[in-house]
Amino acid sequence: MQDISLETFLFAFMLTFLAGTSTSIGAVLAFFSKRNNYTILSIGMGFSAGVMIYVSFMEILVKSKESFSQIYSSQIIGESLTILYFFAGILLTAFIDKIIPEDVNPHETKSNSELLELKPDTKASLIRNSSLKRTGVFTALAIAIHNFPEGFATFVSALENPSVGISIAFAIAIHNIPEGMAVSLPIYHATGNKKSAFWYATLSGLAEPVGALVGFFLIFPFMGDATLGITFAIVAGIMVYISFDELLPAARVYGNAHTTIVGITLGMFVMAISLIAFQIF
């Protein structure tokens, strides 16, 4: 392992910690919505998906390909490995989804097709029952799982190149805000308990600094461009899976196609502007 100063270590860890705990901001913002305002819930979940999808394809996968390009002169090899580990991330998350017990997995409550066919009054009744809370809890679990390697990727990037680390941490902090909303909104709407919704969202984000520390002590001694490329690609796959499998179907259930696309578009727009603004300033 290369020598790392205490200042560099603390700087990288603080970036990761702040990026992770920005889920708390999303939790607080969620409390400004009325419990019976399901349009905000739908837009919020669509917004979160838009941010995660955009940053995965436009930022994180690019970082993965750049890392592999440092090893292989052939562009085809670098791109092939990026694609390989991207789909590995999707399969990993699908496996985790599969082994979640049915009683806590909202996917097992009703199929997406059944949910989308519900009438508005039935839809409102469904939202009030425990399945909505399970959606929030499962989203928290899924986000915590993907935040673990994401935190490691942010931490390692900051150790290797502080400017790159700041860029990635900023991008992740932006998308962690709607992630916090995606966790806290369902729980808040189901229970009315702000404290519970806040802590679920916060704990899902704390997986990032935990992932940073675990990764540092277990993986960093073997860290190189290959490991970094693999980490980024897998993280992108995890985020895309969560967006398409959990957030977007839920956004349709609690709203409609129009509220969902509004949320997705706003999420992508905010992420795009934030990345450009960071490069300028």
Side-chain angles (χ1 to χ4, degrees):
M1 183 193 302
Q2 66 184 43
D3 293 331
I4 299 174
S5 67
L6 179 61
E7 291 78 8
T8 301
F9 179 90
L10 292 177
F11 173 77
F13 181 78
M14 185 57 64
L15 277 181
T16 307
F17 180 82
L18 292 175
T21 54
S22 63
T23 53
S24 300
I25 300 175
V28 172
L29 292 176
F31 303 148
F32 288 95
S33 67
K34 297 179 180 180
R35 287 186 63 198
N36 61 350
N37 190 340
Y38 306 122
T39 299
I40 297 298
L41 179 61
S42 175
I43 293 176
M45 288 185 168
F47 186 94
S48 178
V51 170
M52 294 170 71
I53 293 169
Y54 188 91
V55 76
S56 294
F57 286 114
M58 300 299 292
E59 183 77 5
I60 300 179
L61 280 178
V62 173
K63 297 294 183 185
S64 174
K65 188 166 67 173
E66 289 176 352
S67 296
F68 284 124
S69 69
Q70 300 298 318
I71 307 172
Y72 305 100
S73 57
S74 172
Q75 183 177 354
I76 295 179
I77 294 178
E79 291 184 355
S80 298
L81 288 173
T82 299
I83 293 171
L84 173 65
Y85 287 107
F86 169 74
F87 284 103
I90 292 178
L91 292 175
L92 172 64
T93 316
F95 173 74
I96 294 171
D97 190 4
K98 183 68 175 178
I99 64 176
I100 295 293
E102 292 187 5
D103 60 338
V104 296
N105 192 336
H107 295 175
E108 303 298 336
T109 305
K110 282 183 178 288
S111 68
N112 288 334
S113 59
E114 290 174 321
L115 290 173
L116 291 174
E117 292 172 359
L118 292 175
K119 296 179 180 179
D121 56 338
T122 309
K123 198 180 296 184
S125 176
L126 173 65
I127 292 174
R128 294 189 185 97
N129 69 24
S130 60
S131 66
L132 182 57
K133 182 178 179 180
R134 288 200 302 272
T135 297
V137 172
F138 180 74
T139 302
L141 175 63
I143 289 175
I145 291 170
H146 100 257
N147 277 352
F148 193 85
E150 187 178 274
F152 174 61
T154 305
F155 182 72
V156 171
S157 299
L159 290 178
E160 292 289 327
N161 188 325
S163 62
V164 172
I166 292 173
S167 177
I168 294 176
F170 180 78
I172 288 176
I174 291 295
H175 93 258
N176 273 355
I177 292 175
E179 281 187 1
M181 293 177 65
V183 173
S184 62
L185 274 170
I187 295 174
Y188 174 53
H189 279 243
T191 66
N193 190 326
K194 293 182 178 180
K195 183 180 295 185
S196 176
F198 176 83
W199 283 114
Y200 269 110
T202 300
L203 289 174
S204 70
L206 286 177
E208 290 203 9
V210 172
L213 293 179
V214 172
F216 178 79
F217 290 109
L218 294 183
I219 304 175
F220 190 75
F222 313 100
M223 178 56 63
D225 290 320
T227 310
L228 199 58
I230 292 171
T231 302
F232 283 136
I234 289 178
V235 166
I238 292 172
M239 293 170 65
V240 167
Y241 181 94
I242 291 173
S243 297
F244 284 104
D245 187 66
E246 174 65 21
L247 294 177
L248 292 181
R252 287 291 300 271
V253 169
Y254 305 134
N256 54 52
H258 297 295
T259 57
T260 302
I261 193 62
V262 167
I264 294 171
T265 304
L266 286 175
M268 290 185 173
F269 179 76
V270 169
M271 190 72 258
I273 295 300
S274 66
L275 292 175
I276 294 174
F278 184 82
Q279 293 178 12
I280 294 176
F281 299 105

